[in-house]
Amino acid sequence: MRLSEAVSAQTPLVQRLLDGVATIGADPPGITRDAFGRGENDAQSLIARAAAELGLTARLDEAANLSLRWPSGHDAPPVLIGSHLDSVVQGGNFDGAAGVIAGIGAIAALQAAGIAPKRDIEVLALRCEEAVWFGLGLIGSRALLARLPAGALELPHARSGLTLAQSIDACGGHSARLRENTPLRDPRSIGVYLEVHIEQAPQLIEANAPVAVCLANPGNVRHPFIRIRGEDAHTGLPHRFRRDAALAGADLSLALERLWLDEEKAGRPMAITIGRFHTPAARHSLTAVSGGFELSLDLRAYDAAHLAALEKRLGAIAAEVAARRKVEIVLGERSAAAPGPMDPALIEALSAAAARCGIAAPRLNSPGSHDANNFAASGVPTGMLLVRNQNGSHNPYEAMDTPDLMAAIGVLAEWLANG
């Protein structure tokens, strides 16, 4: 059977797995697969059963990441194909899960075509990529590569209240090993890391292409609980006496937007997102000036030096707003992820594989940070394929079409066979 025919023949398997993880995560109007909870665990089990039918060897590592290996009999560093199975609360079905399923589909296609692997191929279902569960994202790959920040194992789960260490242990991991702060796998022993992921902006809709080759993922700096402290007051208080935390929050947000627009105009891509933006719910009132305000901030860019410069500007902007509004701005807790530039040789090789499949795949930056960031930052040659998806991600309306995922699986299988 030709490889293209073998890929097409896996469509029922891929659709069955997509439907299966949707059923596991059903939470109308969207999908919720909670990390280190029933949603992620049941999705792991579904994927493991499909892998067993293909003869893959399953194991959990000390971080409770699931590894599914197709041994080659060759002594060469393996190819890892990874993504995640957790979701945000009431998100969509494809963010993460489509990438894990793509790895299974590609191996199934190679087997159907009678193509033996040149080196071990391993599908990874990495734990807890979404930051919503612990206020820290990319946890599975961070743990695998010893990139967890200090104190991460004590972070509480947003739903269960268990610490990250307790959550890992409850799912079959061994968190004590992670306290050694050494990689669970030496990055030098990994040949390649590949990830397939839905696109998180409609660039492929615009380009009328099913698949893109990723150039880079942004790194990020996150402050989940920025606190502004002013002074509660009567609504009639004249402006010159006010220490209005709400207006300071508005000023800070608009100043950051001006920074974003200036950077884009200068040709330096980045993004700023304010997810939470509110006065204290227990005390806000129509007839009071609020002395308290909270917001969250995600600041991202594609180059480490640029990201560091933007973080310095954030501090200066916060200080200027605080002085002008006579308030205190505390940026508070911070997490960060390194930018993820893709390996130039893999960009070329994946583009060539797409061309052999008859796909004119554009080369695009991804708007999102992914587990691929940690592999790239650890020195592992890293590549990504982005799949067309009309409505973004982290919402119930993700709109990836299965034929587009099959196109990405075709490119992946072609690279594995002939790359």
Side-chain angles (χ1 to χ4, degrees):
M1 182 184 295
R2 294 174 54 193
L3 181 56
S4 59
E5 296 169 345
V7 169
S8 181
Q10 306 317 310
T11 302
L13 167 64
V14 168
Q15 191 63 59
R16 172 168 62 85
L17 294 176
L18 290 171
D19 293 344
V21 293
T23 299
I24 287 167
D27 184 13
I31 296 291
T32 303
R33 290 188 292 268
D34 49 332
F36 296 104
R38 180 176 179 181
E40 190 181 54
N41 291 341
D42 287 356
Q44 273 198 356
S45 296
L46 176 73
I47 298 298
R49 289 194 297 271
E53 294 171 2
L54 299 174
L56 308 189
T57 302
R59 69 176 289 269
L60 288 179
D61 68 17
E62 290 89 340
N65 295 312
L66 175 64
S67 160
L68 304 160
R69 183 178 285 247
W70 186 23
S72 65
H74 299 297
D75 185 17
V79 173
L80 274 53
I81 304 169
S83 196
H84 62 100
L85 293 170
D86 66 313
S87 75
V88 299
V89 177
Q90 292 191 328
N93 190 43
F94 308 118
D95 183 342
V100 178
I101 292 167
I104 296 294
I107 288 176
L110 292 174
Q111 291 182 352
I115 297 172
K118 300 175 181 178
R119 47 184 162 171
D120 290 7
I121 300 174
E122 190 171 338
V123 177
L124 291 180
L126 294 158
R127 287 282 184 171
C128 192
E129 192 262 7
E130 303 292 359
V132 64
W133 302 109
F134 290 94
L136 177 71
L138 314 178
I139 283 176
S141 54
R142 288 180 192 264
L144 183 72
L145 298 164
R147 300 183 69 85
L148 285 173
L153 291 170
E154 278 62 59
L155 292 172
H157 192 287
R159 285 195 171 176
S160 72
L162 296 175
T163 66
L164 175 56
Q166 291 168 332
S167 301
I168 288 170
D169 293 340
C171 293
H174 185 56
S175 64
R177 168 66 176 82
L178 303 180
R179 297 188 187 278
E180 298 173 13
N181 200 33
T182 56
L184 303 182
R185 296 177 67 160
D186 184 346
R188 294 169 298 182
S189 73
I190 300 169
V192 169
Y193 176 81
L194 298 175
E195 186 164 347
V196 175
H197 204 283
I198 59 169
E199 204 208 353
Q200 294 168 302
Q203 297 175 99
L204 285 169
I205 299 292
E206 184 179 68
N208 192 29
V211 179
V213 175
C214 183
L215 294 171
N217 297 329
N220 63 61
V221 172
R222 288 172 170 167
H223 290 278
F225 298 105
I226 297 176
R227 297 170 179 88
I228 303 178
R229 297 166 183 158
E231 185 174 75
D232 292 338
H234 187 277
T235 48
L237 188 70
H239 189 278
R240 67 185 181 277
F241 299 118
R242 290 196 183 201
R243 299 176 58 213
D244 191 322
L247 289 180
D251 270 3
L252 177 62
S253 302
L254 291 174
L256 290 172
E257 184 189 33
R258 286 193 293 273
L259 170 65
W260 184 2
L261 294 175
D262 288 346
E263 292 295 300
E264 280 199 342
K265 187 175 180 180
R268 296 186 290 268
M270 60 164 294
I272 287 171
T273 302
I274 295 169
R276 293 189 309 106
F277 189 81
H278 58 89
T279 53
R283 300 200 59 212
H284 58 202
S285 167
L286 175 65
T287 56
V289 175
S290 181
F293 200 82
E294 288 191 7
L295 63 151
S296 65
L297 176 66
D298 179 298
L299 173 66
R300 54 186 56 197
Y302 292 90
D303 175 78
H306 186 206
L307 188 60
L310 291 172
E311 187 170 14
K312 187 175 181 180
R313 288 285 294 126
L314 165 63
I317 289 169
E320 187 277 326
V321 171
R324 180 160 45 82
R325 288 287 180 181
K326 296 177 285 189
V327 299
E328 180 184 13
I329 299 179
V330 180
L331 297 178
E333 297 92 326
R334 174 190 183 276
S335 68
M342 299 297 108
D343 180 79
L346 279 172
I347 290 172
E348 295 299 330
L350 289 170
S351 296
R356 293 195 296 273
C357 292
I359 298 171
R363 300 180 183 188
L364 300 172
N365 284 330
S366 170
S369 300
H370 304 288
D371 287 302
N373 289 48
N374 286 322
F375 286 90
S378 298
V380 178
T382 299
M384 281 191 71
L385 295 172
L386 304 174
V387 183
R388 180 164 51 189
N389 167 56
Q390 184 163 359
N391 297 327
S393 68
H394 292 191
N395 68 73
Y397 309 111
E398 292 174 4
M400 182 200 76
D401 291 328
T402 302
D404 289 344
L405 180 60
M406 297 309 301
I409 290 171
V411 175
L412 183 58
E414 171 63 30
W415 181 87
L416 290 168
N418 301 305

